[in-house]
Amino acid sequence: MESTGKRFIGIDLSKRTYEAVAMTAETQTITRWNGKLDPRGLKCLMDKLNPGDIVALEAGTASFKIAKEMQSKPGVRVVVLNAANLAIIHAFLKKTDKEDALKLARLIQKYSPEELPVVPIPTDQEMERRALVAHETRFRQDRVRLINRLHAVFLRAGFPDHTKRQLGISDSREKLIIAELEGFNLVEAMNLHHMIVEYETILADLDKQINDTVVACGKDAEILLSIPGFGIKTTMAVLAYAGDMRRFENPAQLVNYIGFSLRLYASRNIERSGSITKRGNPQVRWLLIQSAWCMVQSKAPNPLKDRFEAMLKRGKAKSVAIVALARKLLELVYILLTRQEQYRFIDPDLYAIKLRRAGFAFVGAGSC
């Protein structure tokens, strides 16, 4: 990557400030500066960038927004790195903002982007979709925590027979609270019930927003929904976090990006694979695994379901086989979206029902 006139700039971001280190390709001169991440501080940062500079940032909350602003400056190249996969940063004993910025600068000087864990910079549309998926996930997880707390109240009051599934249903939940609890247990349970109802109202609104967003994606969403086990939320998560398939050269790159690639251990003549890397977004992996479970539990015949059953016959554990099937689903996503084809083994009647429920009957099949 070295050439005359280039600078290799590493920038470490915190919540309010940044630390930057610039190294010249010829003289190895190191220049440091820092500033705030407010509009004035960012303008000063942009003014210091020159055509030919190569900038490295750690992936984080503000990284993508700042990276886009830097990319708008002519001649500046920006790479966003996943620091969790850079042991030189996360496992180093001396960890300061200045040291991390220097390490980033040295990394992009020594290695090409193909050799580094580069995170693709999402578009504004993808950022909005990711924010929506993350927002819904947080509210859903908080609702589960509240139900767990309510279940603990019933256990404390001496009612161990009520399941969390029962307490997740609004009508039966309120009746059980009023009929069986008293004193402070009743007060606490009713407070939790009202909080759960508020969360359910918000989640219903978020589900509608997700559904409308998926429908607006047109043909890409229709293709993903043709895959058995795929629902609105899985489709939304894949479109939000994988995005445009043209950024990946093959299915293996997409699998690695989402975190389904297997770790490889090699020593002399011995090679073996380990667990998956879990590099990408955990919500996407969880939804793909849930989709895989839906597929294998379906009565409809499917080659992928047959593949799962064959793995079980060979002695694979269900937990291992289902992750392998989820990885295969992700490879299928790449193939179908790249070819713009629907899954050929889908039941036409079930597929039509799925599209009607989502609202595709009223939307043209435009591209996302």
Side-chain angles (χ1 to χ4, degrees), residues 217-229:
C217 288
K219 189 173 182 181
D220 285 349
E222 291 180 16
I223 289 171
L224 292 179
L225 287 170
S226 71
I227 302 174

Side-chain angles (χ1 to χ4, degrees), residues 40-78:
R40 183 178 177 182
L42 287 176
K43 184 179 183 304
C44 292
L45 174 60
M46 299 302 166
D47 291 341
K48 289 182 178 291
L49 299 179
N50 302 323
D53 287 346
I54 302 176
V55 183
L57 303 168
E58 288 185 39
T61 305
S63 302
F64 295 128
K65 181 178 182 298
I66 295 172
K68 287 178 185 177
E69 292 185 25
M70 291 180 177
Q71 281 184 326
S72 65
K73 190 156 185 175
V76 175
R77 184 179 181 184
V78 184

Side-chain angles (χ1 to χ4, degrees), residues 37 59 82 124 161 197 257 302 322:
L37 291 177
N82 185 353
D124 292 338
D161 295 333
V197 170
Y257 177 63
N302 189 288
I322 204 66

